[in-house]
Amino acid sequence: MRKNSQSTENPEGAATWTFAISRNVLIMAVALWLMLTMNIPFWRDVWQGVGGWSNDNSLFLITLPVLVWLWLYLLLSLLAWGRLTKAILGMLLLVSAAASFFMSSYGIVIDYNMLTNVLQTDSAEALDLFSWGMLGWLFTLGVVPALVVSRVRLIARPWARELGFKLASMVLGLACLGGIVMSNYQSYASLLRNHHELRLLLTPSNVAAAVHGYSKRQFATPTPLQLVGADAYQVKPVGGTARPKLTILVVGETARAANFSLNGYTRQTNPELAKEDVISFANASSCGTATAISVPCMFLDVGHDHYKDSMAKNREGLLDVLQHAGVAVLWRDNNSGCKGACDRVPNDDVSHLQIPYLCEGSECHDEVLLSGLQTYLDTLDNDAVVVLHMKGSHGPAYFKRYPPAFEKFTPVCRDNQLDRCSAESIVNAYDNSLTYTDHVLAQTIELLKGNAERFDSAMFYMSDHGESLGENGLYLHGLPYAMAPSEQTHVPMIVWLSAGLQQRSGIQASCLANHRDVAYSHDNLFHSIIGLMDVHTSAYQPERDLFRQCLPQHTASVDNGRQAKGVN
């Protein structure tokens, strides 16, 4: 094809195509490309939602792609203006290609919660998501069309005329879109009413909505920190000679309850915990389906129904209340941070310690959380809560989450593009990671047993959310809670109490075991730890304390904490 070296929209001497098109035509072409290539999951769900060929409304089926094309055209027209048109369209093509890859490969949807989860993922976890398949997808569907867009010569018009053409075409597009909807109103209304997930599947409008939602929350006017439990104090046993209480609260990552043998899973994924006197609560659920939501939510007093994203940074949580009461607190992290839960308490990032037998490359296995912990315990002479935030079973590279010695189930999937692995190999790798989590929890209990002369202790383990392993074509996690399958919300919850703590508190493991099938959730965590640590505060809700049902009817205690604080 012959080339022309002159163009009003390109530097003099730059080669451009001989034909020229208007900005509106370019936007229409990009919208058509996005509709045809970037939205396989969307069209699959639409086709199922309308009943496929069994739908006898042929006009409705014909107008569906036209309506989507017009919608995308209007969206791109709102985003792409003036001399930035080609740059913005190129960026949208790249972003849409990335979004479509993850949606097609893992069955995820895009909303602001998913975007938050992505932006708060650490570099090691992010690298696990890259693959040659992803690069090929991005190059074919994103880079190549973006290069084509960059080479197109646009017709130059005076800005007033260009604006007039743009507004007129948008008004015409909007009128056509409205006409299509009204001509088949019942069909479209039924489709959207019964399939709310479609708005989260249409690329790039879902990405634009996610960015808008995330930005709105990030740049919202900061609100003052909400104090919680400022009146907190501890109730001490009569005589004041009891050993300090020590609770290690282990926050799991991406562990689903269905794959824990303690809960009836046919594979032995909990061989070490099975030998301990632990209670596994088999009917526990999470507050969210992603770390960025679940972790702050589980440490707050409000519960799932009243949780808002802004509370993660602007409301005090469990660890703050414990500090108010004089309990020593430490957060140790081998993940991507505490998401606001530990912002005002001592915390320690152990994910980059580079211990030879525990760490490799840019990440460490979860036993690193126990490294040096005894040294910290040796400094304690008061009640304490230590939080261990695990790397757990974070995917898709499950095979990286455990040392080679724990590769019990084989073969394992070693491809981070899970849809290219067999179902068996994915589950094998995932179950191996849970077996390693079992080992870390057992080692935690052994650490507490080794300090039995100094502390009355407990271990409380609960995962932040679950994981999909290919069921119904879904992988990983992060679906909106209302549409998430149980695999992403049904989480393990395990408790171990030392003999000294059971004797001191009157809480018996056998009593807790009788409630192992009761429905619990992250909503119980805050209040259960507060009760277990003998903290009194107006923020405490006794009906949510899972230990309270096993307390003796009468306990002798003295209000030393209130006397010490002087007020409250």
Side-chain angles (χ1 to χ4, degrees), residues 100-356:
S100 68
F101 172 80
F102 288 110
M103 292 169 64
S104 298
S105 299
Y106 299 115
I108 67 170
V109 298
I110 306 294
D111 64 356
Y112 78 90
N113 286 326
M114 179 61 72
L115 180 61
T116 301
N117 194 42
V118 169
L119 294 177
Q120 294 187 11
T121 297
D122 63 29
S123 58
E125 292 174 352
L127 288 174
D128 286 343
L129 295 170
F130 282 89
S131 65
W132 288 112
M134 176 186 176
L135 294 177
W137 186 293
L138 290 178
F139 181 79
T140 303
L141 298 185
V143 174
V144 172
L147 288 174
V148 172
V149 167
S150 72
R151 303 293 289 173
V152 168
R153 183 163 61 93
L154 297 177
I155 297 173
R157 297 190 180 101
W159 71 267
R161 188 180 180 192
E162 183 67 40
L163 179 62
F165 271 107
K166 188 179 184 76
L167 294 178
S169 63
M170 290 177 65
V171 170
L172 179 60
L174 188 61
C176 292
L177 188 148
I180 291 174
V181 171
M182 295 310 298
S183 66
N184 291 275
Y185 179 77
Q186 291 300 329
S187 296
Y188 280 108
S190 176
L191 177 64
L192 296 176
R193 182 172 58 251
N194 296 324
H195 298 275
H196 298 287
E197 75 280 3
L198 291 179
R199 65 183 178 84
L200 304 177
L201 293 172
L202 183 59
T203 304
S205 62
N206 53 0
V207 177
V211 171
H212 175 264
Y214 180 81
S215 301
K216 182 179 179 181
R217 289 162 177 80
Q218 288 296 111
F219 296 106
T221 303
T223 57
L225 180 67
Q226 292 180 281
L227 300 180
V228 175
D231 59 345
Y233 63 93
Q234 276 192 290
V235 175
K236 300 293 185 178
V238 172
T241 58
R243 289 182 292 266
K245 275 188 175 182
L246 169 63
T247 295
I248 295 184
L249 174 55
V250 186
V251 179
E253 170 67 58
T254 320
R256 67 186 209 178
N259 288 51
F260 271 56
S261 55
L262 290 175
N263 295 333
Y265 187 50
T266 54
R267 280 181 163 178
Q268 184 54 275
T269 53
N270 303 121
E272 296 187 52
L273 287 180
K275 300 175 184 177
E276 303 287 353
D277 189 16
V278 300
I279 305 95
S280 180
F281 296 92
N283 195 17
S285 58
S286 65
C287 186
T289 63
T291 304
I293 298 172
S294 284
V295 168
C297 180
M298 68 196 294
F299 279 85
L300 293 178
D301 60 317
V302 296
H304 170 269
D305 291 344
H306 301 287
Y307 175 76
K308 298 179 181 178
D309 294 338
S310 59
M311 294 179 177
K313 296 289 185 181
N314 298 325
R315 185 180 180 89
E316 289 188 331
L318 171 62
L319 305 186
D320 300 286
V321 177
L322 292 170
Q323 276 200 151
H324 293 328
V327 177
V329 176
L330 174 66
W331 180 288
R332 305 195 96 201
D333 203 285
N334 189 38
N335 203 307
S336 55
C338 67
K339 317 305 180 189
C342 67
D343 284 358
R344 293 162 295 278
V345 305
N347 55 84
D348 186 9
D349 182 2
V350 300
S351 62
H352 305 292
L353 288 184
Q354 297 301 316
I355 298 175

